[in-house]
């Protein structure tokens, strides 16, 4: 996997990383709209404690971008697998905590 013929050039990696991050933001906006239409309540991140939302808003994009960079530097695909799984687990956990909090306040 670390063969030079297999790896993407740096500009292609950057385009891929930016596309993935933009897609993540777009999915959040779609989820926000769907939540508002289904419940009639705006999806508000300010109701969650800052100690949870701030690390998520900063850490998740860094995690999703850091994995491919670590893979490029080390050539070990375990970085991609680990950061993908961790990112998915963090996203699902945050979603479940948010839904539980909104159910309590509704």
């Amino acid at each position: 996997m670390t063969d030079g013929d297999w790896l993407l050039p740096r500009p292609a990696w950057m385009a891929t990383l930016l596309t993935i991050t933009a897609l993540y933001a777009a999915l959040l906006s779609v989820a926000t709209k769907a939540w508002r239409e289904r419940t009639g309540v705006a999806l508000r991140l300010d109701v969650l404690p800052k100690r949870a939302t701030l690390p998520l808003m900063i850490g998740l994009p860094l995690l999703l971008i850091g994995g491919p960079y670590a893979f490029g530097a080390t050539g070990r695909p375990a970085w991609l697998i680990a950061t993908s799984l961790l990112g998915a687990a963090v996203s699902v956990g945050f979603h479940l905590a948010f839904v539980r909090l909104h159910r309590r306040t509704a």
Side-chain angles (χ1 to χ4, degrees):
M1 288 182 110
T2 60
D3 184 16
D5 293 335
W6 185 86
L7 293 175
L8 293 172
R10 285 203 185 273
W13 270 115
M14 186 56 70
T16 302
L17 295 173
L18 292 175
T19 302
I20 289 170
T21 304
L23 179 62
Y24 184 79
L27 287 174
L28 179 61
S29 116
V30 168
T32 300
K33 184 180 179 202
W35 177 269
R36 186 175 44 246
E37 289 174 357
R38 195 176 98 220
T39 65
V41 177
L43 185 65
R44 295 178 42 209
L45 296 177
D46 63 334
V47 297
L48 291 172
K50 293 286 186 225
R51 70 186 193 296
T53 55
L54 194 59
L56 180 74
M57 294 300 190
I58 294 170
L60 193 57
L62 289 176
L63 179 70
L64 296 175
I65 291 172
Y69 273 116
F71 169 69
T74 65
R76 294 179 181 218
W79 285 107
L80 296 175
I81 296 166
T83 56
S84 294
L85 292 175
L86 188 57
V90 168
S91 294
V92 169
F94 187 77
H95 170 75
L96 293 175
F98 191 83
V99 168
R100 192 176 76 211
L101 181 66
H102 266 285
R103 282 189 183 145
R104 268 194 246 147
T105 59

